[in-house]
Amino acid sequence: MADGGVSGAGGAITAEHARAVLGSACAVAGLSAEGASLLRLGENAVFRLSDPLVVRVARSADRVDAHERTVAAARWLAEVGFPAVRVTSRIRQPLVVDGRVVTFWELVAEEERFAGVVALAELLRRLHWLEEPASLGLPYLEPLAATWGRIDAAVGLGDDDRGFLRQRAEELRKRYDALEFVLPFGLVHGDANVGNALVDEAGRAVLIDLDGFALGPREWDLVLTAMYYERYGWHTRSEYEAFVNAYGFDVMNWYGYPVLADMRELMMTVWLTQNMAGDAEVSAEVERRISDLRSGGDRHGWKPF
């Protein structure tokens, strides 16, 4: 469930172009791209090398500083012994190749296994106790920062839909700014969903996808699991209750939950517009989501991407 990344707006990226960038980046790093397999094509093109490394090719190089912070955050988490994906120390990174940012990561496990909602809750609780060093230079969380650019760049949108999404984003920004949060402000993962907690070879749950690390309200890291249950039915009631019990707080009991959930589903929809070109399934999903956002229709038919 990688729906709705939090990185910059970036530009279109195809599997073919990403593979070409991968080849150039591996040549610079002294690695072989032969036999590399594409794991996913989302906010990044993610490849598995024959060497036990995972390579992430970003949509653009216009936010190199953000990728530098991601690498620095990964190294800091390793220093403090937090169970998270490790950036490889063999390569000086991030690299910028053909206008894309490329980073290299240690493979979590030979077989990709999701750790589950309880493990995710435990990881988040532990993460939220950490006090990040000022040297990381983490930004303050701005949930809709990338949304505006994505709305403008979405070639598959009509003018009416584009205008509707802009208006909704502006309304939600104002509602968000007026919220009073109840959990302590501090380090957040930024895209905390069950798909970003994997099981390593030792059977330990580890947190992945560190691009959204920021300083913000901890409620933001709890809202995805809540809405995956409450709005989409992607989690069961028992799974959500187990998540709440493991973390120790139910964000759905806080008055601001609907605002965060509305923001997240807008971000998820706008994020998906990047992949509309030439993909009928994605285009149909975007149309369905915008229709539901306009009408307040039931979201249980939304598909995860």
Side-chain angles (χ1 to χ4, degrees):
M1 299 180 187
D3 218 326
V6 294
S7 298
I13 187 170
T14 64
E16 294 75 18
H17 178 65
R19 192 172 289 279
V21 174
L22 172 72
S24 298
C26 285
V28 171
L31 299 169
S32 172
E34 186 175 353
S37 57
L38 179 65
L39 301 180
R40 64 185 61 89
L41 184 64
E43 195 58 41
N44 301 275
V46 183
F47 293 91
R48 159 74 196 276
L49 301 184
S50 53
D51 193 305
L53 293 176
V54 170
V55 185
R56 304 173 84 218
V57 179
R59 287 180 178 267
S60 73
D62 55 3
R63 297 185 69 236
V64 179
D65 58 337
H67 294 279
E68 290 173 344
R69 282 195 300 269
T70 299
V71 170
R75 288 174 174 156
W76 169 66
L77 290 175
E79 289 173 4
V80 299
F82 184 88
V85 63
R86 304 303 190 207
V87 65
T88 182
S89 59
R90 290 184 280 166
I91 302 162
R92 185 175 181 180
Q93 50 181 314
L95 298 179
V96 178
V97 178
D98 296 337
R100 312 282 180 174
V101 180
V102 183
T103 50
F104 298 80
W105 302 81
E106 301 290 347
L107 184 69
V108 172
E110 287 293 334
E111 179 184 357
E112 185 176 81
R113 290 186 294 147
F114 299 115
V117 293
V118 171
L120 173 63
E122 292 170 345
L123 286 169
L124 291 176
R125 185 180 60 189
R126 182 172 171 183
L127 180 74
H128 290 171
W129 275 104
L130 293 178
E131 183 174 350
E132 78 293 336
S135 60
L136 281 184
L138 294 178
Y140 290 109
L141 180 71
E142 296 182 38
L144 296 175
T147 299
W148 307 102
R150 287 176 179 158
I151 293 173
D152 291 341
V155 296
L157 286 179
D159 290 341
D160 286 348
D161 285 342
R162 199 184 309 276
F164 166 74
L165 293 174
R166 285 180 182 143
Q167 180 181 13
R168 188 171 180 87
E170 179 60 25
E171 291 172 352
L172 288 171
R173 182 190 64 80
K174 293 176 180 177
R175 292 170 62 194
Y176 176 82
D177 288 345
L179 291 177
E180 294 184 5
F181 296 92
V182 293
L183 295 179
F185 183 92
L187 177 64
V188 294
H189 177 271
D191 192 24
N193 68 80
V194 73
N196 282 333
L198 299 182
V199 178
D200 69 10
E201 293 291 4
R204 181 183 62 163
V206 299
L207 206 56
I208 69 168
D209 192 357
L210 312 179
D211 293 344
F213 260 45
L215 302 177
R218 268 52 182 267
E219 289 87 347
W220 187 250
D221 273 352
L222 307 179
V223 71
L224 280 176
T225 305
M227 60 192 293
Y228 283 6
Y229 156 62
E230 182 256 341
R231 296 202 174 187
Y232 310 134
W234 297 346
H235 292 316
T236 65
R237 180 185 180 90
S238 61
E239 285 174 331
Y240 183 64
E241 289 176 346
F243 175 84
V244 169
N245 289 335
Y247 184 84
F249 179 79
D250 186 350
V251 72
M252 289 175 60
N253 289 334
W254 170 60
Y255 85 101
Y257 163 70
V259 177
L260 298 192
D262 285 352
M263 293 180 77
R264 267 298 187 180
E265 67 179 13
L266 175 68
M267 292 167 61
M268 290 165 63
T269 299
V270 173
W271 176 84
L272 198 57
T273 64
Q274 299 174 111
N275 298 329
M276 291 176 70
D279 193 320
E281 182 181 6
V282 170
S283 296
E285 179 69 16
V286 170
E287 290 175 6
R288 186 229 169 94
R289 291 186 182 190
I290 293 177
S291 176
D292 288 342
L293 292 179
R294 286 182 181 272
S295 67
D298 183 76
R299 272 70 155 163
H300 278 74
W302 287 25
K303 300 175 182 177
F305 279 82

